[in-house]
Amino acid sequence: MKPVTSSLSIAVAQLNFTVGDLTANADRIIRALDEARNLGADLLLTPELALSGYPPEDLLLRPDFYRACSREVARIAAHTQDITLVLGHPEERHNWRYNAASVIRDGELVASYHKHLLPNYEVFDEERYFDRGLAACVFEMKGLKLGVNICADLWESGPAELARTDGAQVLLGLNASPYHMNKLQRRYDVLRDRVKDTGLPVIYCNMVGGQDELVFDGASFALDADGTLAYQAPSFEERIDLVHLGDGRWVSSEVAAARPIEAEVYEALKVGVRDYLGKNGFPGAIIGLSGGIDSALTLAVAVDALGAERVRAVMMPSPYTAQMSLDDSREMVERLGVRYDEIAIAPAMETFSALLADQFRGLAADTTEENLQSRIRGMILMALSNKTGAIVLTTGNKSEMATGYATLYGDMAGGFAVLKDLYKTFVYRLANWRNTVGPVIPENIITRPPSAELKPDQKDQDSLPPYEVLDAIIEAYMERDESPREIVAQGFPEAEVRRTVAMLKRNEYKRRQSPVGIRVTQRGFGRDWRYPITSRYQDEF
């Protein structure tokens, strides 16, 4: 293989695109071309499906969508004077549909690449939409031969090696790789495998921003042929970086330091909230405060993402609400400077009690009356949402979603679930971390035992195993697909494993009716959790 001796300057377009907003996305790419040209770049590298945004889902089944994409590709191509563009976009060719990358220079198509490996796992459904490419794409610039791969083509062996066989001396990777905890290290490991297999330096361009439940962290990077990290973009930032290749090695002024996992996750939540509201046109957010840790963290994230002026907090005390809950909520909203209202629900509770008195006569009070309180609160929040146009951010966490420790049409009522993929134990970690940045969450909220406050002296642990035990069991069963027998063998009490798994399976119907929420673990209750509601499968004990 010919040694790399020439030099090349590549602009990495770590940008935020909106699914389906083809004109705006194309305009952003055109501006990026201008920025890259001004930086002195020879080539602009975009993320996977940059033009359409990712994932377009069933828009990719519409012939008119491909025609619209084709028109925008032509418009972008007219702006490629004196610079080469590697553009990710959907393409229909002779009734075949591809996840494509087009190499365009001076308005002309130089080369095309069609993604070979179509992931059909976790949150990905590309086999539903695309046909597989078979050929390598290697093009020449300034005496260098550059090979193009798209996302999964670098995660498994085959396509990268095919590019090397066709003469590639450098690998360019277009990616739409969504965030989850510890994802960046996984990317390093996988790309170092490709570097080892091919002996080629590689540059990895990833998109940034929120799209429904997914958050893309960017964190674009480059590895030398020996696997050394030579360029690392900061995560969750939209930016265009210039990276130089000279004598076979990358040179960059940007090698961002790693951040604590809590900082990463908190930033993912902020981006998810900001883009969900921004891209869908919601003017602001409404949060029902309870004086508990979940609503407090949700409020902090919302204010950090949107600004205090776009966030409204509503406290809806019942006769069971502790004075401490009121005091802590008032203190927190004062610290954050958000609009705050208190609406007592005792009158509504009395009305419902009278309304249902004949129907409930002779029946003992139970969770029905507790759930009515939650549903009254949900009704109030949704009324405020309807009247103002602001979206209700629900506050339930992953532990609650797993076990059904939430009320349909009550605390589950809303439009976006900020903490849906955070275990309760991690909620506490995140709250403590946020207070190291600035003390916005009162210490009482973090240290007091969690309670729904729907009856006297109620505690979460009256109904659930300790959260340390509960969360570990859920993670093993849900994220690692371990059987109850395997979980018990790890030392967890069999009774608690049986109870947790039973609750998880029994409450699938609730989760199907819950709002979409931000995915931050490798498996969340969303696109990558597709268990049947009706099922009699018996787990292995």
Side-chain angles (χ1 to χ4, degrees), residues 116-135:
H116 291 201
L117 304 179
L118 304 177
N120 209 54
Y121 50 81
E122 292 182 355
V123 300
F124 305 105
D125 283 309
E126 292 195 27
E127 288 185 1
R128 176 178 172 88
Y129 305 113
F130 294 121
D131 297 296
R132 294 177 182 272
L134 300 173

Side-chain angles (χ1 to χ4, degrees), residues 314 316 343-345 375-385:
V314 183
M316 296 163 284
I343 304 173
I345 67 168
R375 289 178 176 132
I376 290 166
R377 290 177 172 127
M379 188 162 49
I380 291 169
L381 292 174
M382 290 308 300
L384 294 173
S385 174

Side-chain angles (χ1 to χ4, degrees), residues 123-124 176-180 183 187 206 214-217 519:
V123 300
F124 305 105
S177 178
Y179 172 81
H180 64 67
K183 184 69 170 288
R187 294 180 191 137
N206 193 29
L214 301 181
V215 176
F216 298 89
D217 56 326
R519 175 184 182 264

Side-chain angles (χ1 to χ4, degrees), residues 143-174:
L144 287 171
K145 291 189 175 180
L146 311 176
V148 178
N149 288 128
I150 299 177
C151 209
D153 293 341
L154 289 168
W155 282 69
E156 298 179 38
S157 59
E161 290 80 355
L162 185 61
R164 180 200 57 192
T165 299
D166 271 26
Q169 297 165 286
V170 183
L171 294 176
L172 309 178
L174 297 79

Side-chain angles (χ1 to χ4, degrees), residues 76 224 381:
I76 293 168
D224 285 328
L381 292 174

Side-chain angles (χ1 to χ4, degrees), residues 62-196:
R62 301 186 61 84
D64 57 319
F65 186 68
Y66 289 89
R67 291 193 293 269
C69 287
S70 180
R71 288 192 295 270
E72 295 298 341
V73 170
R75 186 164 70 90
I76 293 168
H79 293 266
T80 57
Q81 294 84 8
D82 303 319
I83 193 168
T84 298
L85 171 66
V86 181
L87 174 65
H89 63 99
E91 180 181 45
E92 185 172 52
R93 185 181 295 187
H94 308 303
N95 294 320
W96 295 82
R97 292 173 172 176
Y98 299 107
N99 184 335
S102 290
V103 182
I104 307 168
R105 183 190 304 145
D106 293 328
E108 299 294 329
L109 180 66
V110 174
S112 291
Y113 181 73
H114 299 143
K115 188 175 182 178
H116 291 201
L117 304 179
L118 304 177
N120 209 54
Y121 50 81
E122 292 182 355
V123 300
F124 305 105
D125 283 309
E126 292 195 27
E127 288 185 1
R128 176 178 172 88
Y129 305 113
F130 294 121
D131 297 296
R132 294 177 182 272
L134 300 173
C137 174
V138 178
F139 66 98
E140 189 166 340
M141 276 194 71
K142 300 182 71 173
L144 287 171
K145 291 189 175 180
L146 311 176
V148 178
N149 288 128
I150 299 177
C151 209
D153 293 341
L154 289 168
W155 282 69
E156 298 179 38
S157 59
E161 290 80 355
L162 185 61
R164 180 200 57 192
T165 299
D166 271 26
Q169 297 165 286
V170 183
L171 294 176
L172 309 178
L174 297 79
N175 301 274
S177 178
Y179 172 81
H180 64 67
M181 296 183 197
N182 305 310
K183 184 69 170 288
L184 184 55
Q185 185 58 53
R186 176 65 177 145
R187 294 180 191 137
Y188 289 158
D189 294 342
V190 168
L191 268 291
R192 284 187 172 118
D193 286 343
R194 296 292 77 75
V195 166
K196 182 179 178 181

